[in-house]
Amino acid sequence: TQLLEQSPQFLSIQEGENLTVYCNSSSVFSSLQWYRQEPGEGPVLLVTVVTGGEVKKLKRLTFQFGDARKDSSLHITAAQPGDTGLYLCAGSPKTSYDKVIFGPGTSLSVIP
Amino acid sequence: DVKVTQSSRYLVKRTGEKVFLECVQDMDHENMFWYRQDPGLGLRLIYFSYDVKMKEKGDIPEGYSVSREKKERFSLILESASTNQTSMYLCASRGGRGPYEQYFGPGTRLTVT
């Protein structure tokens, strides 16, 4: 069974702090996406990474795909209350190109 | 921008009722998906479709069926709603095949009493 694990499950921080959330698997993924979901809404795509070692930046968010394409991280610098939400990673396994697997998510709360 | 719309944001139905959830996308995407999302369980794939009139079972198809008569529309049907189908239902679409991004609708919060 191909699984994506995310850690931590819950995170509550003060505005202005930095944080990192992780997405890990024992399987190799051909690509990996990060989504943010606000309460009562559908997930919104933030980024896709496809190359091992790739780093992408989106304003204060930095995404990294592991060299072996089995893991990814999301780093937020100077978190703001607007960053609050559920962060989901999703990947397409190398052995099952069309399939997309979602992790359980990291619930982030940024306190003003 | 891709837009995926769902027919209802909130729905309350009684046990045994037949329930229709509709999803429409405006980007001519071939692929459409239905998920349910429950706390602690994440997103679970119910059904998906690669083309008109084509459907494939996902991980949890029991108690559900789907219909795709037009490319832009993908419907999820609960033949006889049960309380364990109370959940957030999310529709998504994706262009092409392979590791492309999915675009989600706003979700339908279904409560079965």
Side-chain angles (χ1 to χ4, degrees), chain A residues 2-4 6 35-38 41-44 86-91 99-106, chain B residues 6 33-47 58-60 87-93 102-105 107:
Chain A
Q2 295 153 327
L3 291 174
L4 276 173
Q6 290 187 245
Y35 295 82
R36 180 169 65 216
Q37 184 179 20
E38 297 185 12
E41 300 292 334
V44 174
L86 180 69
Y87 288 82
L88 296 162
C89 66
K99 189 176 178 68
V100 175
I101 297 170
F102 282 84
T106 292
Chain B
Q6 295 184 227
F33 307 81
W34 275 107
Y35 295 88
R36 63 176 286 177
Q37 184 177 30
D38 302 286
L41 297 176
L43 272 74
R44 292 181 291 168
L45 181 63
I46 304 171
Y47 267 96
D59 299 320
I60 52 163
S87 185
M88 173 71 135
Y89 288 87
L90 292 163
C91 175
S93 75
Q102 296 190 10
Y103 296 88
F104 285 86

Side-chain angles (χ1 to χ4, degrees), chain A residues 46-73:
Chain A
L46 296 174
V47 78
T48 296
V49 286
V50 295
T51 305
E54 182 177 3
V55 176
K56 282 192 173 179
K57 292 194 174 185
L58 185 67
K59 298 182 180 178
R60 293 175 293 99
L61 279 60
T62 302
F63 304 86
Q64 184 161 8
F65 201 12
D67 291 340
R69 291 186 291 154
K70 292 183 178 182
D71 55 86
S72 181
S73 64

Side-chain angles (χ1 to χ4, degrees), chain A residues 11-19 60 76-84 108-112:
Chain A
L11 190 56
S12 181
I13 62 171
Q14 294 292 130
E15 182 176 359
E17 291 184 3
N18 300 334
L19 67 114
R60 293 175 293 99
I76 301 179
T77 303
Q80 298 178 1
D83 296 325
T84 293
L108 172 64
S109 177
V110 181
I111 302 164

